[in-house]
Amino acid sequence: MKEHIINFFKGIIIGIANVIPGVSGGTMAVSMGIYEKLVDVIGNFFHDFKKNFVKNMIFLIPLGLGAAFAIIAFSKLILFLLEDYAMQTQFAFIGLILGSMPFIFKKSTEKGFKKSYIIPGIITFAIGVTLAVLQLMGVTGNPVESFDINFVNIIILFVYGFISAASMIVPGISGSFILLLLGAYTAIMTAISTLNILVLIPFALGVALGIIACSKLIDYLLHKFYGYTYFAIIGFVIGSVPAIYPGFSFDLAGLTSIIIMVLGFVASYFITKYTNK
């Protein structure tokens, strides 16, 4: 029961991360030590289905409920925090990410280390920084406030869901940021906060398929190229920090942001240390 409660709260953190542009749910899954198991369970969900179904669902249900609860319950709150307390909110997630790095580095070398592992890390770090630069430059799609339900938009919503879900699974790449680039972030967040089922169903179907497909790919890479894949993940995670960084001001907001970041760092460090023994 204790493990299920912990996974529920981990799901909440992943769900909140997926709502915030620049923050990756995959990064938070890595930081909490459940990423490998998550992509393995989702990617191989239909393998030995009858044998593993109950075990897989016992793991996935608390995470899924936590994530769904966070997305529905906190979507309006996160929009409010990003609008009125953006610096503190973003610094909190920077602290959570940085606090998990010792665990991630340790995890990446469990099966040995080669200097060549650094190459994919450099490449993915460059991708993360590029996304940060795009964000600073305001390179986003024409924002859409809402979707009219017709056949074309249903297909578009499905594709948007697939793309954003694939990016959610890859640590360091924010599904919400991808939606910003596509210009659909406001419309999707509005649909979630108002429970617009007609918009959410095709989007959710795309999300489900995207998560399954990407999880299967990453699970394969982790089994065949463990070190290279983990260092690529590290590059994405470190490269995501510039994308999250909201700037800094030498005032009360800046002071509270630093305090919140330190608290986030400490919390993340000890959570990863004591829940992944």
Side-chain angles (χ1 to χ4, degrees), residues 168-191:
M168 290 174 196
I169 291 294
V170 178
I173 300 182
S174 164
S176 294
F177 179 64
I178 297 301
L179 287 177
L180 272 177
L181 291 177
L182 296 170
Y185 179 76
T186 300
I188 296 300
M189 288 298 296
T190 301

Side-chain angles (χ1 to χ4, degrees), residues 223-245:
H223 279 91
K224 297 293 184 180
F225 310 100
Y226 184 89
Y228 290 103
T229 302
Y230 243 103
F231 269 79
I233 289 172
I234 288 172
F236 272 131
V237 171
I238 297 175
S240 71
V241 173
I244 302 172
Y245 179 66

Side-chain angles (χ1 to χ4, degrees), residues 106-127:
K106 181 181 178 182
K107 191 76 175 172
S108 68
T109 56
E110 277 187 347
K111 299 182 180 181
F113 172 75
K114 297 178 182 178
K115 291 181 180 179
S116 56
Y117 290 170
I118 297 173
I119 296 173
I122 293 172
I123 293 171
T124 53
F125 174 78
I127 293 172

Side-chain angles (χ1 to χ4, degrees), residues 155-172:
I155 300 299
I156 290 173
L157 284 165
F158 178 85
V159 172
Y160 282 178
F162 184 93
I163 294 172
S164 64
S167 60
M168 290 174 196
I169 291 294
V170 178

Side-chain angles (χ1 to χ4, degrees), residues 13-21 23-26 67 71 168 174-176 185:
I13 293 174
I14 292 172
I16 292 174
N18 279 322
V19 172
I20 300 176
V23 182
S24 166
I71 291 171
M168 290 174 196
S174 164
S176 294
Y185 179 76

Side-chain angles (χ1 to χ4, degrees), residues 139-220:
V139 182
T140 60
N142 294 322
V144 177
E145 297 296 327
S146 62
F147 285 98
D148 295 324
I149 297 303
N150 54 52
F151 179 76
V152 173
N153 279 344
I154 287 174
I155 300 299
I156 290 173
L157 284 165
F158 178 85
V159 172
Y160 282 178
F162 184 93
I163 294 172
S164 64
S167 60
M168 290 174 196
I169 291 294
V170 178
I173 300 182
S174 164
S176 294
F177 179 64
I178 297 301
L179 287 177
L180 272 177
L181 291 177
L182 296 170
Y185 179 76
T186 300
I188 296 300
M189 288 298 296
T190 301
I192 292 172
S193 63
T194 59
L195 291 179
N196 188 335
I197 302 299
L198 295 178
V199 170
L200 293 178
I201 287 177
F203 182 77
L205 290 173
V207 167
L209 185 60
I211 288 175
I212 292 171
C214 196
S215 294
K216 198 164 189 67
L217 172 61
I218 293 177
D219 182 59
Y220 170 81

Side-chain angles (χ1 to χ4, degrees), residues 8-20 23 25 28 32 63-64 66-72 74-75 78 93 168 176:
F8 177 78
F9 282 102
K10 288 181 177 180
I12 288 177
I13 293 174
I14 292 172
I16 292 174
N18 279 322
V19 172
I20 300 176
V23 182
M28 302 317 299
M32 292 180 290
L63 284 173
F69 172 77
I71 291 171
I72 294 172
F74 297 120
S75 57
I78 293 301
F93 276 89
M168 290 174 196
S176 294

